[in-house]
Amino acid sequence: MIPLVFLSNAAAAQSPLSGSEFDSYTRGKTLYYGNGGQVYGVERYLPNKRVIWSFLDGKCREGIWYQQGEQICFIYEDRLDPQCWVFTQSGGGLIAQFEGDPQAIELYEADDLGEDMVCYGPEVGV
């Protein structure tokens, strides 16, 4: 079990980040996300709104993000339907609410786990 320390609190959430605010905060960073005290995944934010996501299982998915209203939407190479989140910032970390729905999954930026984001190469079949 990897201990997580959450840097944000939903009760202290601010207004949704715009695309430019999100880009300014994330570009060049690798952020870890947690949910319910468990590690959820990690995302590396690259220039030109490109990202690499992993559930920390060695399988990485390249994608892009874009702003749609108050949401930041992601499209990944293995899933072309957008995954949209409302991002807010509080206390030194991000909070991501899936589709801005309070009943849906909420992720918190977790502090650096001290692990590298590992991406294995493509699987070779017979």
Side-chain angles (χ1 to χ4, degrees), residues 47-112:
N48 300 317
K49 300 181 180 179
R50 294 179 303 119
V51 294
I52 301 173
W53 170 262
S54 174
F55 286 104
L56 294 173
D57 58 3
K59 297 177 184 174
C60 294
R61 295 144 182 93
E62 293 185 22
I64 60 166
W65 69 265
Y66 60 92
Q67 181 177 353
Q68 180 175 298
E70 291 188 333
Q71 299 181 20
I72 304 296
C73 299
F74 298 83
I75 296 177
Y76 297 97
E77 61 187 334
D78 65 338
R79 186 169 184 172
L80 299 180
D81 58 317
Q83 305 296 300
C84 298
W85 302 80
V86 172
F87 283 87
T88 55
Q89 183 179 0
S90 71
L94 293 179
I95 300 170
Q97 184 74 58
F98 186 67
E99 296 182 344
D101 180 354
Q103 302 302 315
I105 190 169
E106 185 172 79
L107 302 180
Y108 302 90
E109 181 182 344
D111 65 88
D112 191 328

